[in-house]
Amino acid sequence: MRQIPGAWHRTAVGAGLVGDDGAIRPTIFAEMSALAAGTGAINLGQGFPDEDGPAEVLEAARAAIANGVNQYPPGRGIPDLLSAIAEHQERFYGIRLDPARDVIVTAGATEALAAALLALIDGPDDEVVVFEPYYDSYAAVVALAGARLVTVPLRWPDFQPDLDDLRRAVTDRTRVILVNDPHNPTGAVFSAEARDEVVRLAEQHDAIILTDEVYEHLVFEAPHVPIATVPGAWERTLTISSGGKTFSTTGWKIGWISGPAPLVDAVLAVKQFLTYVNGSAFQPAIATGLRLGDAFFRAIADTLRAKRDLLGTGLRAAGFEVSTPAGSYFTVVDAAALGAVDAADFCRALPERAGVVAIPLTAFVTPERRGEYATLVRFAACKRVEVLEEAASRLSLLT
């Protein structure tokens, strides 16, 4: 069959989905989820909860459908959700937004990211700096936009960026510094020094900061600090978040991007020709969620912290070395003590060996750095307690 031309191929290459033989492979999430289904293994690979979100949020969606909120919403999002996002940013972080100008509702954080990068990248000379390992869509969209990916490694066990590495990565060619904090896949929360240096370098080199903060309410040691609140950051920062992780509604795909109106307008110019709009009945439900009381937001962090600790105890008992995450759904382990030499091979064998699915960290890195992460594996703690307990019991068979 002839090669089909188009940007799809460089996108697949950027995402690491093209094999040595040129064949297109499924994503690691699809592969591991299929393994879980085929073997009956517990899926601690992909980061989605197995419990529904708060009843008030679910009921608000049902009510919206019943009351006819089933047609196209406004292009920027329904006004009530835009207002709720602005209220949320001021309530938690002291950030004041004009809901009519500084916010856009998107089809999840993934569309917000894609629209922003496609809007801001202007050609192959532009560079996007990301922290590695990185959420896989980052490399894919940078490749789709035709820019160059420049990575700053996060190293075991604390996964904090080396500031000298960061300084070497950011140059006058840097168009965007892409920050994911709390970080997927490592669970790291960046230090104040790292945030400050990102802002300083962005100012020095006139770069835009694009920050993915979808795990903002799932931090365990201290309140989340948006990079937009760092002095000097606001005028050059676009902040992405979503309701999926906070309210356990990942399938609804209601996200948003906020920042100074000129930057937001640039994103809107692209976003309106992607999905245009989405999720009309889910938008008022997420607005309801964002206005829930402080007790709800404390409880979801406390609950996930307890699940993190439960999973971590089980992983240590099974013989893994564990990096304790400061936020997010995820825990990264080193499987070398259990004989791993290649994380992907280890994860492919794990469902048969122990009845549990995980994700190799090598799925989130550039080919040049796979050796540095060769034995590291990611597990997700966003499951019911009894599921995590059963997973720990199964993993104990590895010792």
Side-chain angles (χ1 to χ4, degrees):
M1 181 178 177
R2 70 181 179 88
Q3 177 68 48
I4 299 171
W8 71 270
H9 190 265
R10 71 169 182 263
T11 305
V13 170
L17 301 181
V18 179
D20 294 337
D21 60 356
I24 305 300
R25 303 178 301 219
T27 68
I28 193 67
F29 305 106
E31 180 184 355
M32 293 301 162
S33 292
L35 268 178
T39 61
I42 295 172
N43 191 351
L44 300 187
Q46 197 164 0
F48 59 86
D50 59 359
E51 297 177 281
D52 281 334
E56 302 97 317
V57 173
L58 304 181
E59 181 53 41
R62 284 189 285 266
I65 293 170
N67 291 327
V69 186
N70 301 305
Q71 308 308 322
Y72 294 134
R76 285 181 177 265
I78 66 166
D80 191 50
L81 178 54
L82 298 174
S83 294
I85 293 165
E87 292 163 17
H88 170 276
Q89 293 301 95
E90 184 165 14
R91 169 186 172 190
F92 285 99
Y93 311 124
I95 298 173
R96 292 191 174 183
L97 300 174
D98 178 346
R101 298 204 61 216
D102 298 340
V103 191
I104 305 169
V105 176
T106 60
T110 302
E111 189 200 28
L113 174 87
L117 289 175
L118 290 169
L120 297 172
I121 290 170
D122 199 31
D125 292 332
D126 285 348
E127 295 182 348
V128 178
V129 172
V130 304
F131 295 89
E132 184 178 22
Y134 44 75
Y135 181 53
D136 61 343
S137 76
Y138 297 173
V141 177
V142 170
L144 173 62
R148 178 170 177 260
L149 189 76
V150 177
T151 65
V152 177
L154 305 177
R155 297 183 175 91
W156 172 274
D158 65 353
F159 297 111
Q160 289 293 319
D162 181 284
L163 299 188
D164 287 333
D165 288 340
L166 178 59
R167 293 178 193 115
R168 283 189 290 269
V170 180
T171 71
D172 287 345
R173 293 184 300 276
T174 303
R175 181 65 175 143
V176 174
I177 304 174
L178 176 50
V179 179
N180 179 204
D181 182 21
H183 187 261
N184 173 16
T186 69
V189 169
F190 286 0
S191 67
E193 292 76 14
R195 291 191 296 270
D196 289 347
E197 190 62 9
V198 166
V199 175
R200 189 189 71 79
L201 289 167
E203 288 182 310
Q204 179 181 343
H205 297 285
D206 194 25
I208 300 299
I209 302 167
L210 182 60
T211 175
D212 176 351
E213 302 183 9
V214 298
Y215 295 101
E216 61 185 312
H217 289 294
L218 300 176
V219 292
F220 309 133
E221 312 307 331
H224 173 61
V225 179
I227 203 165
T229 64
V230 175
W234 163 255
E235 61 269 19
R236 62 179 64 252
T237 299
L238 284 165
T239 301
I240 295 170
S241 194
S242 80
K245 305 302 191 295
T246 300
F247 305 114
S248 296
T249 53
T250 59
W252 290 7
K253 299 299 291 179
I254 301 298
W256 51 87
I257 189 165
S258 62
L263 288 179
V264 170
D265 287 345
V267 176
L268 180 62
V270 171
K271 180 265 184 295
Q272 65 192 344
F273 298 111
L274 298 176
T275 60
Y276 173 46
V277 293
N278 73 294
S280 58
F282 297 136
Q283 291 192 32
I286 295 301
T288 295
L290 290 172
R291 293 177 173 127
L292 290 173
D294 291 352
F296 166 79
F297 293 95
R298 285 194 300 269
I300 59 172
D302 291 345
T303 297
L304 191 57
R305 183 189 301 108
K307 291 180 177 182
R308 172 204 68 176
D309 294 343
L310 173 61
L311 176 61
T313 297
L315 292 168
R316 290 185 183 90
F320 295 101
E321 290 185 56
V322 177
S323 172
T324 301
S328 87
Y329 283 168
F330 305 111
T331 295
V332 173
V333 303
D334 191 340
L338 293 171
V341 294
D342 180 282
D345 290 343
F346 179 86
C347 288
R348 290 185 179 107
L350 193 60
E352 291 289 351
R353 289 181 64 188
V356 177
V357 163
I359 297 287
L361 218 64
T362 47
F364 304 97
V365 303
T366 53
E368 298 77 18
R369 283 214 170 98
R370 282 179 187 154
E372 299 176 36
Y373 302 91
T375 59
L376 302 184
V377 175
R378 188 193 80 173
F379 291 86
C382 53
K383 309 297 179 181
R384 300 188 311 277
V385 167
E386 57 267 29
V387 172
L388 296 174
E389 289 173 339
E390 174 62 20
S393 176
R394 295 185 184 189
L395 289 168
S396 68
L397 301 175
L398 293 170
T399 57

